[in-house]
Amino acid sequence: MKVDVLDDVPELKAAVEAACAEAPSEARERQIRAHARELVRALRHPEHPLTTEADLADVLAGPSLRVYDGLALAGKLRARGPERPTAEKTALVRSEVMVMLQRVLELPVVHLRVAEVLPLKVPIDRSRISRLRASLQTLADHIGQRTRWTVEGGLLTRGYPRWVRMLALALVVLDTGARVGELCTMRLEDLSPTLEEIRVRRRPQGTRARSRPLAEVYILSAATRAALQRWLQVRRLVMREMTGTAEHLWVSVRGNHGGVVDEDEGPEYRAAGTALQPRGVGRAYSAAVAKVNVDLAGEVGWSPLPERMEQLRRGVNPDIVLFPPATPDAERAVQLLEAVETAGRDLAALPTAEDGATIGIQARVAAREAGREAWRLGIEHQVQLAALSTAGLAALDVPRAGWDAELLRALDRAVQLTPRQREAETTEQVKQYQTC
């Protein structure tokens, strides 16, 4: 069992818990705990004049904190890895955390750093957005020409799954301005049935970590819809070994060792299909972009992509389409579900051959609109699909109601297949499923 160094200083640990309870986000909570543990390691360091037995008023006083700050800046307090200096941004966060602990303990406040000393981040020039989109289209063409978007063509080889994921991530960011943490919270439910819109859950700075995030709906460009379809295809194929949840939109594309370490068996193995965490998303994006920038250098229509997602995000200012209600309106939900069922019943009674006729077009448009409005209100995909099934619309005919085929396949794996069934699915069955 891993030992927490904060246990050596119970009073500090209690102050950390109190500060975390008031933290505006989970990220801030992690920062508080990390720097508090770093402070304990400083008290254990031979160059620090105090020890873990010292009074907290002395530990959090100016002289003690300046010694701690110097040791931390020199990289002498790292929990693992070689010594190396820390960034100025990290020093600012360290100062903010110490101030929070001082205030919790009602001690004199000592600021080791002030925000004004930090250089401002330079966003991507807005005039480059069109070139960025052109580069992403060049990347999509590059992958398609070499793989034909099929397993037989090598879609799951040579790092292409990571490129497809990066392509979809980048385009979603350009359409929505989503942050890394907001991308990680996205689930299949946040994609509209037609893949024309996406829901982003925001938690504005200054709000409590446990407060309800605000939902925003954005229209997706045609290029983003195509990229998401390709990503859902790759996602489905790599989910064969998935052992965790199948609801997250952004998942790992290969197995890795990490997480809890067992003394006898070593690090825990995580199969492909595991939900990505914020750090994993950032690293995956940066690694894929670094490789793509080298491999596609010199191609017509290619401009290097920024290697940090934050740079990409700060270069866009998308228009919010809708602020969905925090909780669905029950009466409106019933009306929309009835509209979905009615549209499904009309489509079920209509021969497929009549889809191009006026009556067929009207029925398909009505089904598409009903499904979109129901999704915007927050009615889950499976509830809508159940209504269409009740209306008599066969599962294979659901795309006639405007539903994207790849999204339907992803939802099918997320809900209907058990882990044992996924494991038993053969390569031949996957190929048949891809072309159905």
Side-chain angles (χ1 to χ4, degrees):
M1 181 178 180
K2 188 175 181 180
V3 178
D4 190 347
V5 296
L6 285 174
D7 292 335
D8 289 353
V9 191
E11 188 179 358
L12 177 61
K13 185 175 183 179
V16 167
E17 295 302 325
C20 287
E22 298 298 325
S25 66
E26 294 180 2
R28 180 60 92 181
E29 288 185 36
R30 290 193 295 270
Q31 291 170 347
I32 293 171
R33 297 184 193 280
H35 288 295
R37 293 183 178 114
E38 187 181 60
L39 177 60
V40 175
R41 291 196 294 274
L43 296 174
R44 291 175 171 178
H45 198 278
E47 295 182 25
H48 199 288
L50 302 180
T51 68
T52 56
E53 301 296 327
D55 189 278
L56 275 188
D58 295 328
V59 170
L60 293 172
S64 169
L65 288 181
R66 280 188 280 275
V67 175
Y68 155 51
D69 188 51
L71 292 170
L73 283 173
K76 297 181 179 182
L77 302 179
R78 292 185 177 275
R80 57 182 180 273
E83 292 185 5
R84 66 178 187 275
T86 57
E88 187 65 24
K89 180 179 178 181
T90 304
L92 175 63
V93 174
R94 182 184 303 116
S95 175
E96 294 172 345
V97 168
M98 293 303 110
V99 169
M100 294 181 70
L101 295 176
Q102 289 162 351
R103 287 175 174 163
V104 165
L105 293 167
E106 299 182 350
L107 296 173
V109 172
V110 178
H111 291 277
L112 294 172
R113 294 286 188 286
V114 290
E116 286 73 15
V117 303
L118 285 180
L120 296 176
K121 291 182 177 178
V122 180
I124 295 298
D125 187 345
R126 295 177 65 84
S127 64
R128 291 183 57 199
I129 296 299
S130 60
R131 280 186 289 168
L132 288 174
R133 291 188 179 276
S135 288
L136 293 170
Q137 183 59 54
T138 299
L139 173 60
D141 294 341
H142 178 88
I143 298 172
Q145 289 169 4
R146 283 155 180 77
T147 68
R148 304 187 305 280
W149 300 109
T150 64
V151 175
E152 294 81 0
L155 183 59
L156 299 185
T157 65
R158 299 183 58 186
Y160 287 130
R162 281 170 284 176
W163 289 16
V164 174
R165 181 181 59 194
M166 182 274 286
L167 177 64
L169 276 167
L171 285 167
V172 167
V173 170
L174 287 178
D175 281 357
T176 67
R179 297 178 176 87
V180 171
E182 293 160 352
L183 292 169
C184 290
T185 64
M186 288 180 179
R187 287 172 162 73
L188 296 176
E189 288 291 339
D190 293 318
L191 297 174
S192 71
T194 60
L195 287 192
E196 293 176 321
E197 296 173 336
I198 192 169
R199 181 165 45 228
V200 180
R201 292 182 173 84
R202 310 278 193 187
R203 181 172 281 112
Q205 293 183 354
T207 59
R208 297 287 300 275
R210 298 166 185 81
S211 61
R212 183 187 296 274
L214 301 176
E216 300 171 355
V217 170
Y218 295 85
I219 293 178
L220 296 176
S221 65
T224 304
R225 293 198 299 272
L228 280 170
Q229 288 172 332
R230 300 307 188 189
W231 163 240
L232 289 174
Q233 176 189 10
V234 170
R235 178 186 178 278
R236 166 168 54 84
L237 294 172
V238 303
M239 296 287 274
R240 285 172 289 176
E241 299 179 16
M242 193 277 298
T243 57
T245 177
E247 298 177 353
H248 287 85
L249 176 58
W250 308 110
V251 299
S252 61
V253 296
R254 61 177 181 177
N256 63 81
H257 288 85
V260 179
V261 176
D262 186 281
E263 293 183 358
D264 298 323
E265 299 182 5
E268 175 189 13
Y269 177 75
R270 294 176 177 175
T274 303
L276 290 180
Q277 300 303 311
R279 184 175 298 181
V281 170
R283 288 177 175 174
Y285 172 85
S286 297
V289 168
K291 185 70 167 62
V292 167
N293 280 343
V294 172
D295 287 7
L296 271 67
E299 287 211 12
V300 177
W302 176 257
S303 296
L305 297 172
E307 293 192 13
R308 293 185 59 187
M309 192 175 289
E310 181 67 10
Q311 293 175 300
L312 187 69
R313 185 186 73 82
R314 288 179 178 270
V316 299
N317 186 26
D319 295 326
I320 301 172
V321 178
L322 181 71
F323 291 97
T327 54
D329 179 277
E331 183 176 352
R332 179 61 176 158
V334 170
Q335 294 173 351
L336 287 174
L337 279 178
E338 288 178 351
V340 169
E341 189 169 340
T342 298
R345 191 176 298 111
D346 291 342
L347 280 176
L350 188 69
T352 306
E354 297 294 329
D355 275 3
T358 300
I359 188 172
I361 294 174
Q362 291 175 343
R364 289 189 289 113
V365 169
R368 178 187 290 265
E369 290 299 315
R372 183 184 68 177
E373 292 304 315
W375 173 81
R376 283 184 167 187
L377 189 66
I379 298 176
E380 295 180 355
H381 290 327
Q382 295 301 331
V383 176
Q384 289 199 56
L385 292 174
L388 292 174
S389 177
T390 301
L393 191 66
L396 292 177
D397 289 335
V398 171
R400 296 170 64 195
W403 285 70
D404 181 80
E406 281 297 343
L407 177 60
L408 288 171
R409 290 166 180 154
L411 291 170
D412 180 65
R413 293 191 64 83
V415 177
Q416 297 181 13
L417 297 182
T418 66
R420 181 172 296 179
Q421 287 172 322
R422 293 189 187 98
E423 183 178 355
E425 188 176 49
T426 64
T427 303
E428 184 62 27
Q429 288 173 320
V430 171
K431 293 178 181 178
Q432 293 174 358
Y433 193 68
Q434 179 187 7
T435 57
C436 67

